[in-house]
Amino acid sequence: MGILDIFKIKDVCKDRRRITGADREFIKAQWAEVEQLVDLDKPSARNQALIRADKILDLALKRITSGNTLGERLKNAQDSFSDWEIYDGLWKAHKIRNKMVHEAGFEPPHYMVKDALEKIRRALEDLGVAIE
């Protein structure tokens, strides 16, 4: 292990420490509300759950990286995720949320919203925030 590897490990640990215990508890409580919305089993509630999950993700990313928008923070946080699949899935989930909010008449099917929620949950856990 070279000196550069030590700095990389230090940076990863530093990033994860910025999500404090209080932040983790807050995110966990907010995620419980997301799950309550999903349990209502109504399209509008599922859509609202995805919007709230996206906000929760934004909070977590604000703690570990810089950027003026969630998109910028996602780009800046790429190295904070353990693998490309999680990071790419997160982008896909965020794009679904954006289409819901910005495109009139876009109503994603329930399986698409549930998949997006799962991708956000996996990403939060990858950042060190245990949801369950």
Side-chain angles (χ1 to χ4, degrees):
M1 176 179 290
I3 189 77
L4 292 177
D5 293 323
I6 292 170
F7 285 121
K8 287 179 187 175
I9 290 169
K10 184 178 178 184
D11 286 345
V12 169
C13 292
K14 183 177 81 175
D15 285 348
R16 291 186 185 224
R17 276 191 226 129
R18 286 194 212 160
I19 300 176
T20 66
D23 289 332
R24 285 184 180 93
E25 289 305 312
F26 180 77
I27 289 168
K28 191 173 180 178
Q30 292 294 303
W31 195 265
E33 292 180 17
V34 166
E35 289 178 346
Q36 289 174 350
L37 286 167
V38 171
D39 289 344
L40 293 174
D41 203 29
K42 296 180 181 178
S44 61
R46 276 192 301 271
N47 292 351
Q48 187 63 34
L50 181 54
I51 292 167
R52 290 183 83 173
D54 198 66
K55 288 179 184 180
I56 294 167
L57 169 67
D58 193 32
L59 170 70
L61 291 178
K62 282 178 182 177
R63 299 299 190 257
I64 65 166
T65 194
S66 62
N68 294 322
T69 65
L70 177 54
E72 288 177 9
R73 286 186 279 278
L74 271 170
K75 288 177 186 175
N76 294 337
Q78 180 177 351
D79 293 338
S80 298
F81 296 96
S82 65
D83 73 33
W84 175 254
E85 184 180 323
I86 291 172
Y87 177 73
D88 187 52
L90 197 49
W91 266 109
K92 289 175 182 174
H94 180 61
K95 287 178 184 179
I96 292 167
R97 177 265 177 206
N98 278 353
K99 285 182 79 168
M100 278 179 12
V101 172
H102 297 294
E103 291 185 19
F106 178 71
E107 289 290 329
H110 73 283
Y111 65 86
M112 187 180 286
V113 174
K114 285 188 174 186
D115 184 57
L117 287 167
E118 177 60 21
K119 287 175 177 166
I120 293 172
R121 185 194 64 73
R122 277 186 69 203
L124 288 169
E125 289 183 347
D126 195 49
L127 292 173
V129 181
I131 299 298
E132 296 182 51

